[in-house]
């Protein structure tokens, strides 16, 4: 099927050709699950391992990662000596879950660590020298930074001068030169082993899990569990799953095992904080991968964005259900406040973005924008224009704090590091799909020009290769609850492991209308006498939404999107979350 256009569609209403996700046709005897796995890059010989991904099948030997054993040995020494251990985490979900995982593991080893989460507005991203020196003054002998530290050169120099040992456990891109640390554990070190580098997509919480595995192995070798039970780190996979999905890490290989098994642990309600958070999010069943990204993750993030930065860690490490419910309720309230702020900034940023709609990179800035929501706003702009986007919140003195999101095939983190190395940024770093930066007053125009020149080729290539990729073609009657079950069997889905997308039709569009916050609804009716509901989210003012709203009752359409259960109807009803359409 390589080169074929699905349903003959070379240009849809969104301007894309429709192609099959997997070229080459279907092998006889393969069920839908195996076909979906093959379409996501799994080798035919490796299907069995991927049908039900387990930690045992995908966990690498932690010793393959640079400095992993050195870090585990230093933590074990601290435990044996009764030293005070501090954990310095980032204020987002990946940082909160990483800090919570190590805190809970150390507690089970008889150690109560100090936990420090910086304030986003007052302190900014990553460890500062002042904060690390303060931890030393308060009695810390060893600090472990999680989800930060790979670029903290000055801060780690100050920590070393103060006599504080620091272990960095991070996943953000590294420069050629590494900061001074007792151990720097990061799969994206440029000198990483082949096995380690193959796990560069693992979130910081995944790296913290690997550090925990290495630590338990080190302690086991020292006879620490001869007369007491060894903690089951596997019981903390619910936290790993949350951090992995919320950080939009690619759900491939080890990450997919983390999420698959973590959702099982989460369904058992082991963590009282996660139970309370699910109640606050009004989830009525065991959380799914989508719930981690769209319901639980944003609420954890809300503490760091517009509230108290340590609320997420406090919730995830809580032992009292009443306290957990109180924190979860506060995070839910802060999330509503965050959404209101986000709407205002999104509206203003979108107006500025419209003037850059044809640029390779959209970079907008504004005074008074809340830095806690700029990452979300950048994601909205990226989705709307199909281009990398950076949103910068300017302080009163003109200094800008920016957050960016990229598209597949364009490494934004590398571009930001290059801008930093060229002297255009005060600070900056990230990974392929997301980055953060700080730009000096008056420096935005030069930064924009640099990034445009560097990224234009990659963006043109990525956009030129853009197609709507499909997994199956159905009649309208094929949109059903049974299909939902069959499609979910190849999950969990997320970044790097896209949810199945199907095309259905030909169908007439009945009663199209706008509902809610600019969503477009309709009923698709086929010649087979069967019909299904469809909804295009936030599409009222887009070409897709306008095409649906203006469709004549007699016209026939091919419709493409994901199939979800219609929670309002129950039973086996299903609906399509519409992404594209084309006349039949």
């Amino acid at each position: 099927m390589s080169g074929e256009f699905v349903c003959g569609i070379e240009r849809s209403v969104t301007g894309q050709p429709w192609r099959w996700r997997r070229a080459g046709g279907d092998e006889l005897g393969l069920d839908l699950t195996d076909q979906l796995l093959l379409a996501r890059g799994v080798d035919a010989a490796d299907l069995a391992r991927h049908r039900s991904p387990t930690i045992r099948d995908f966990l690498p030997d932690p010793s393959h990662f640079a400095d992993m054993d050195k870090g585990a040995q230093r933590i074990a020494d601290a435990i044996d000596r009764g030293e005070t251990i501090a954990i310095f985490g980032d204020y987002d979900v990946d940082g909160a879950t990483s800090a919570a995982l190590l805190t809970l593991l150390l507690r089970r080893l008889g150690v109560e660590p100090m936990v420090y989460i910086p304030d986003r507005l007052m302190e900014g991203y990553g460890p500062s020298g002042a904060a690390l020196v303060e931890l030393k003054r308060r009695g810390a002998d060893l600090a472990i930074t999680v989800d930060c530290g790979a670029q903290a050169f000055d801060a780690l120099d100050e920590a070393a001068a103060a006599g504080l040992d620091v272990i960095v456990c991070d996943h953000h891109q590294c420069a050629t030169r590494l900061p001074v640390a007792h151990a720097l554990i990061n799969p994206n070190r440029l000198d990483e082993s082949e096995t380690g580098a193959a796990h560069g997509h693992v979130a910081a919480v995944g790296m913290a899990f690997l550090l925990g595995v290495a630590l338990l192995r080190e302690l086991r070798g020292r006879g620490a569990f001869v007369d007491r039970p060894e903690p089951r780190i596997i019981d903390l996979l619910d936290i790993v799953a949350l951090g992995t999905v919320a950080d939009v890490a690619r759900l491939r290989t080890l990450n997919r095992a983390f999420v698959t098994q973590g959702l099982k642990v989460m369904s058992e309600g082991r963590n009282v904080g996660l139970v309370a958070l699910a109640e606050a999010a009004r989830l009525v069943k065991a959380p799914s991968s989508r719930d981690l990204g769209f319901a639980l993750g944003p609420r954890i993030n809300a503490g760091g964005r517009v509230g108290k930065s340590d609320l997420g860690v406090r919730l995830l490490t809580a032992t009292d259900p009443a306290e957990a419910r109180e924190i979860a309720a506060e995070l839910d309230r802060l999330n509503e406040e965050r959404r209101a702020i986000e709407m205002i900034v999104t509206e203003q940023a979108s107006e500025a973005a419209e003037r850059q709609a044809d640029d390779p990179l959209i970079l907008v800035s504004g005074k008074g924008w809340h830095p806690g929501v700029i990452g979300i706003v950048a994601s909205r702009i990226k989705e709307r224009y199909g281009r990398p986007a950076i949103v910068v919140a300017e302080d009163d003195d003109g200094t800008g704090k920016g957050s960016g999101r990229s598209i597949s095939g364009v490494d934004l983190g590398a571009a930001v590091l290059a801008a930093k190395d060229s002297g255009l940024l005060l600070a900056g770093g990230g990974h392929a799909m997301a980055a953060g930066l700080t730009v000096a007053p008056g420096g935005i125009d030069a930064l924009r020009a640099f990034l445009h020149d560097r990224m234009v080729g990659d963006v043109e290539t990525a956009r030129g290769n853009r197609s709507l990729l499909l997994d199956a073609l159905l009649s309208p009657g094929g949109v059903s609850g049974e299909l939902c079950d069959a499609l979910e069997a190849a999950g969990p889905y997320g970044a790097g492991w896209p949810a199945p997308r199907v095309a259905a039709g030909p169908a007439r569009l009945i009663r199209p209308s706008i509902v809610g916050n600019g969503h477009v609804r309709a009923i698709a009716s086929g010649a087979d006498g069967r019909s299904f509901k469809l909804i295009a989210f936030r599409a009222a003012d887009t070409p897709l939404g306008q095409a649906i709203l203006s469709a004549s009752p007699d016209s026939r359409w091919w419709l493409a999107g994901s199939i979800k259960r219609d929670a309002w109807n129950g039973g086996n009803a299903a609906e399509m979350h519409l992404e594209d359409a084309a006349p039949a």
Side-chain angles (χ1 to χ4, degrees):
M1 291 186 293
S2 179
E4 282 189 17
F5 296 111
V6 179
C7 304
I9 297 167
E10 298 184 45
R11 186 176 178 82
S12 66
V13 296
T14 66
Q16 300 180 87
W18 289 10
R19 298 185 187 276
W20 294 111
R21 190 182 304 277
R22 177 170 171 262
D26 301 331
E27 281 83 356
L28 292 175
L30 287 181
D31 63 14
L32 179 58
T33 298
D34 284 347
Q35 292 179 34
L36 293 171
L37 294 174
L38 290 170
R40 279 146 190 80
V42 177
D43 290 335
D46 205 18
L47 285 172
R49 188 169 66 127
H50 283 80
R51 287 189 198 105
S52 181
T54 64
I55 302 300
R56 180 188 299 273
D57 283 343
F58 284 95
L59 191 74
D61 183 343
S63 295
H64 286 303
F65 294 86
D67 280 3
M68 182 69 79
D69 289 340
K70 187 178 181 182
Q73 290 162 8
R74 180 64 184 87
I75 300 171
D77 288 343
I79 293 172
D80 289 344
R81 298 169 188 162
E83 294 179 332
T84 298
I85 301 173
I87 300 171
F88 189 108
D90 188 25
Y91 38 65
D92 70 359
V93 185
D94 196 15
T97 51
S98 301
L101 183 144
L102 291 182
T103 296
L104 292 173
L105 179 61
L106 287 172
R107 281 180 182 172
R108 296 173 190 188
L109 292 169
V111 176
E112 184 64 41
M114 301 164 57
V115 178
Y116 189 98
I117 308 294
D119 182 272
R120 178 190 291 265
L121 298 180
M122 301 302 295
E123 299 177 80
Y125 169 78
S128 66
L132 292 175
V133 171
E134 173 62 16
L135 288 173
K136 175 66 176 177
R137 189 194 65 79
R138 288 164 51 188
D141 302 291
L142 170 67
I144 308 170
T145 73
V146 288
D147 196 30
C148 58
Q151 295 285 327
F153 295 94
D154 293 341
L156 294 184
D157 283 345
E158 291 185 47
L164 178 67
D165 282 349
V166 178
I167 296 171
V168 173
C169 185
D170 200 358
H171 70 133
H172 293 98
Q173 289 183 341
C174 295
T176 304
R177 181 172 71 92
L178 297 175
V180 173
H182 182 86
L184 197 152
I185 302 162
N186 187 325
N188 289 303
R189 288 176 56 152
L190 298 182
D191 60 348
E192 186 54 271
S193 69
E194 183 177 351
T195 298
H199 291 82
H201 61 295
V202 172
V205 68
M207 296 307 300
F209 182 88
L210 287 165
L211 177 58
V213 171
L215 172 61
L216 291 177
R217 183 172 62 185
E218 175 67 23
L219 291 171
R220 193 183 311 124
R222 299 185 184 195
F225 306 121
V226 172
D227 54 3
R228 61 169 173 159
E230 180 175 335
R232 282 173 46 88
I233 193 171
I234 209 84
D235 291 345
L236 301 177
L237 282 173
D238 48 3
I239 294 176
V240 181
L242 175 58
T244 298
V245 173
D247 205 52
V248 201
R250 290 188 296 130
L251 298 191
R252 308 190 72 83
T253 59
L254 179 59
N255 280 346
R256 192 159 164 263
F258 279 152
V259 176
T260 299
Q261 301 306 321
L263 287 170
K264 293 178 182 179
V265 174
M266 196 175 295
S267 69
E268 298 170 0
R270 297 175 183 271
N271 187 295
V272 297
L274 286 175
V275 170
L277 193 63
E279 292 175 354
R282 294 163 286 282
L283 298 180
V284 296
K285 59 181 180 179
S288 65
S289 179
R290 179 178 175 81
D291 292 329
L292 302 188
F294 290 93
L296 303 186
R299 285 169 169 80
I300 294 287
N301 256 337
R305 293 187 188 281
V306 297
K308 298 177 181 177
S309 59
D310 67 345
L311 285 176
V313 176
R314 287 174 52 200
L315 176 73
L316 296 173
T317 58
T319 56
D320 177 15
E323 179 190 13
R325 285 192 293 271
E326 182 178 334
I327 297 173
E330 174 67 2
L331 286 171
D332 188 55
R333 184 192 68 77
L334 290 170
N335 190 52
E336 291 300 315
E337 181 180 333
R338 185 271 307 168
R339 291 175 63 184
I341 296 170
E342 176 197 328
M343 286 180 63
I344 295 171
V345 177
T346 297
E347 181 177 352
Q348 296 173 355
S350 296
E351 290 180 5
E354 191 64 32
R355 297 188 289 272
Q356 303 177 37
D358 296 326
D359 291 350
L361 165 82
I362 295 175
L363 194 161
V364 296
S365 62
K367 290 187 179 297
W369 290 355
H370 196 299
V373 302
I374 54 177
I376 304 173
V377 176
S379 181
R380 298 271 188 252
I381 293 174
K382 178 208 74 170
E383 291 170 4
R384 181 176 180 85
Y385 295 99
R387 303 168 189 277
I390 296 176
V391 178
V392 178
E394 295 182 69
D395 295 338
D396 291 338
D397 66 356
T399 302
K401 299 290 181 63
S403 185
R405 299 293 184 269
S406 194
I407 60 176
S408 180
V410 181
D411 191 335
L412 182 60
V416 167
L417 275 182
K420 179 185 175 187
D421 291 342
S422 298
L424 296 171
L425 294 173
L426 300 176
H431 48 80
M433 299 302 289
L437 56 87
T438 303
V439 58
I444 289 177
D445 288 342
L447 174 64
R448 182 186 290 112
F450 176 89
L451 293 176
H452 280 192
D453 288 344
R454 179 183 172 90
M455 300 172 67
V456 61
D458 288 342
V459 173
E460 287 179 356
T461 300
R463 286 180 58 81
N465 294 335
R466 188 179 59 156
S467 297
L468 191 80
L469 301 181
L470 295 163
D471 292 286
L473 180 62
L474 313 168
S475 67
V479 179
S480 66
E482 289 90 346
L483 177 66
C484 291
D485 295 338
L487 295 174
E488 284 301 314
Y493 300 104
W497 196 266
R501 184 185 292 120
V502 305
R508 293 185 300 114
L509 296 174
I510 301 172
R511 297 198 298 274
S513 61
I514 299 175
V515 296
N517 188 25
H519 312 316
V520 175
R521 269 202 178 277
I523 296 173
S525 177
D528 58 1
R530 306 289 292 276
S531 63
F532 61 89
K533 292 181 179 179
L534 62 86
I535 182 168
F537 293 104
R538 295 189 297 275
D541 60 349
T542 68
L544 175 61
Q546 289 299 307
I548 300 302
L549 292 168
S550 61
S552 72
D554 297 325
S555 60
R556 299 292 193 275
W557 292 82
W558 289 109
L559 305 161
S562 57
I563 307 301
K564 305 294 182 183
R565 285 194 179 275
D566 185 355
W568 295 105
N569 285 346
N572 264 342
E575 68 179 10
M576 175 179 284
H577 291 184
L578 189 70
E579 298 176 51
D580 205 353

